Amino acid sequence: MAFKVVQTVGVITAASGTAVNTVAIPLKSGYLRISAQGNPATVNTASTATASDLYVAVGESVVLKERVARQQVTGITTGTTTTVTFGENYGNPFNVGDYVAIENGYPSGINTTFAQVSAVTQTSLTLSFNSASVTGVAVTGTTVARSIQLSAMGSGGSATMHVTEVQTASQN
């Protein structure tokens, strides 16, 4: 199978028996290619990695598929929680408990990479993100995307994990 790189998440080093999380990853394709170097590791995207999670051997790679959700924003209401609205008939692909990133908002203080969704309606979502100090919000070109963190734990020693978001590509 051929892959095209969508975004390079980076490298994380996970000590033996200690879980480490990546930075927040606003998903684009939802396919995460993970490879281990140095020592094997276990990985998880739903919670903190444990010894019983998905095993990644040294020199091997795995591809995980995560649910992608992304939507154009038509409004943002700031406060102790933040409400993001979508246009009529846009739909709402997010669920309570999802983490999201607000991207390309103005001013930059409205942008976030890992805020939890606490409530949803057909045309909005409420985030556990205190934006009360942000004023003059403009949403032209602003999107909200589902965001995750990858957790890794070294197995038998320190493991270096290379993480890249990819999409499948034609082999022609």
Side-chain angles (χ1 to χ4, degrees), residues 45 65 92 106 147:
T45 59
K65 173 62 177 134
N92 187 345
Y106 178 85
S147 186

Side-chain angles (χ1 to χ4, degrees), residues 4 10 26 44 58 63 73 87 97 106 109 113 132 138 145 147 149 160 162 168-169:
K4 177 181 177 186
N44 187 329
V58 174
V63 177
V73 173
Y106 178 85
T113 59
S147 186
Q149 285 185 319
T160 300
H162 299 270
T168 57

Side-chain angles (χ1 to χ4, degrees), residues 6-30:
V6 175
Q7 67 175 317
T8 300
V9 176
V11 175
I12 58 171
T13 301
S16 182
T18 303
V20 176
N21 290 347
T22 62
V23 296
I25 308 166
L27 296 171
K28 295 179 181 180
S29 70

Side-chain angles (χ1 to χ4, degrees), residues 21-162:
N21 290 347
T22 62
V23 296
I25 308 166
L27 296 171
K28 295 179 181 180
S29 70
Y31 290 97
L32 296 173
R33 184 178 185 274
I34 304 156
S35 59
Q37 180 182 358
N39 282 294
T42 56
V43 296
N44 187 329
T45 59
S47 61
T48 302
T50 67
S52 60
D53 286 327
L54 180 64
Y55 182 83
V56 182
V58 174
E60 298 291 322
S61 64
V62 298
V63 177
L64 299 179
K65 173 62 177 134
E66 288 292 320
R67 177 178 59 84
V68 175
R70 183 175 288 273
Q71 189 58 274
Q72 189 73 32
V73 173
T74 59
I76 296 177
T77 304
T78 59
T80 55
T81 61
T82 303
T83 302
V84 177
T85 54
F86 311 120
E88 191 174 324
N89 297 323
Y90 277 31
N92 187 345
F94 301 99
N95 299 316
V96 170
D98 281 348
Y99 285 85
V100 298
I102 298 173
E103 300 174 311
N104 303 314
Y106 178 85
S108 61
I110 198 63
N111 296 314
T112 181
T113 59
F114 205 64
Q116 189 170 33
V117 176
S118 59
V120 296
T121 68
Q122 286 186 330
T123 59
S124 71
L125 54 92
T126 302
L127 306 178
S128 299
F129 170 57
N130 186 342
S131 60
S133 64
V134 181
T135 59
V137 174
V139 296
T140 302
T142 303
T143 58
V144 63
R146 184 165 178 263
S147 186
I148 64 158
Q149 285 185 319
L150 176 75
S151 182
M153 184 172 73
S155 179
S158 183
T160 300
M161 307 298 294
H162 299 270

